[in-house]
Amino acid sequence: MPSDTGRDRGRAPDPQPDRTPRPPRTLPGGAGADEEFRAFMSNRWPSLLRTAYLLTGSHHDAEDVAQGALATAYAKWGRVRRSDDVAAYVRQIMVHQHIDRFRRRTVREWLTDRLSHSPVADETARVVEHGVLLAALAGLPARQRAAVVLCYFEDMTHAQVAAVLGTRVGTVRGQISRALARLRENGALADAVGRQPHPEPRTETTR
């Protein structure tokens, strides 16, 4: 049966401080490590949640994926904190957890552009455009979608995306190329993009 999480897919996530996950009070590394993790979690939660939302297309799933990544990072914080880029390390955990969830999922979900019943400013056009984009992204295989999100929404280079996905740069370029070809074939997305100013094309050498 269709998931009931589709009704929130048309809007960009609005991170709520009260939904930020709360870690246990003590880390094996002591109070200093505990405070370090809490500071990282507090600072990075909105960014992780945004990336998770673009990967999953659902507020509920995004929170689950982001919280799961933080829980995993917490369990091995001693190793995570010694990495060259802690945020990239945790993002890598999150992307791989999402890909694993995507493979295990057996319930098919339908995207919808229904708006929330809460009174808000009229942003119908923006909501619909977000819905079209998320629907188009949802049609991509999990690794292609992750590559596109990391490259074009997180502004990561192909080399950085390859490091996160644990693959080669050439593989990432191929995934992005195939993903963009599929997105160009999406009529609804083409119509939405046609209503917007076209950005200057970006290349790997300028990013």
Side-chain angles (χ1 to χ4, degrees):
M1 61 183 291
S3 168
D4 62 359
T5 60
R7 59 174 176 263
D8 64 356
R9 292 175 180 274
R11 303 176 61 235
D14 183 14
Q16 302 176 8
D18 60 327
R19 296 301 300 274
T20 303
R22 300 292 189 267
R25 293 188 175 182
T26 10
L27 270 168
D34 182 75
E35 289 304 316
E36 185 180 42
F37 178 81
R38 287 175 181 272
F40 171 83
M41 183 180 66
S42 177
N43 291 334
R44 291 292 180 171
W45 172 250
S47 175
L48 290 173
L49 184 60
R50 181 191 64 183
T51 303
Y53 179 75
L54 290 168
L55 291 171
T56 64
S58 161
H59 291 286
H60 176 76
D61 289 345
E63 288 180 347
D64 283 350
V65 170
Q67 289 177 4
L70 285 171
T72 301
Y74 180 87
K76 51 183 181 181
W77 185 245
R79 184 193 311 170
V80 175
R81 68 193 298 208
R82 292 193 299 271
S83 65
D84 293 335
D85 188 335
V86 174
Y89 196 115
V90 177
R91 189 183 290 112
Q92 181 179 32
I93 294 172
M94 185 174 68
V95 169
H96 283 286
Q97 287 187 353
H98 163 67
I99 292 173
D100 289 341
R101 282 165 54 100
F102 188 90
R103 289 171 178 166
R104 294 194 303 265
R105 178 166 294 173
T106 57
V107 177
R108 193 174 187 85
E109 296 184 352
W110 284 266
L111 298 177
T112 177
D113 58 359
R114 287 181 297 172
L115 305 181
S116 168
H117 293 294
S118 303
V120 294
D122 185 7
E123 296 184 352
T124 305
R126 182 167 176 258
V127 168
V128 171
E129 288 165 7
H130 275 290
V132 170
L133 174 60
L134 290 174
L137 288 173
L140 299 175
R143 294 184 73 85
Q144 288 185 19
R145 180 172 182 168
V148 169
V149 167
L150 294 175
C151 183
Y152 292 99
F153 293 90
E154 295 300 321
D155 201 31
M156 297 174 66
T157 66
H158 292 166
Q160 290 171 328
V161 175
V164 169
L165 297 181
T167 189
R168 296 175 300 176
V169 172
T171 301
V172 167
R173 287 174 178 159
Q175 289 171 337
I176 291 175
S177 178
R178 290 190 293 274
L180 293 179
R182 293 186 63 169
L183 292 175
R184 292 188 190 102
E185 295 172 356
N186 186 298
L189 182 60
D191 290 342
V193 171
R195 293 192 296 266
Q196 300 297 325
H198 293 284
E200 292 296 325
R202 296 190 305 175
T203 64
E204 181 71 14
T205 58
T206 60
R207 298 181 61 249

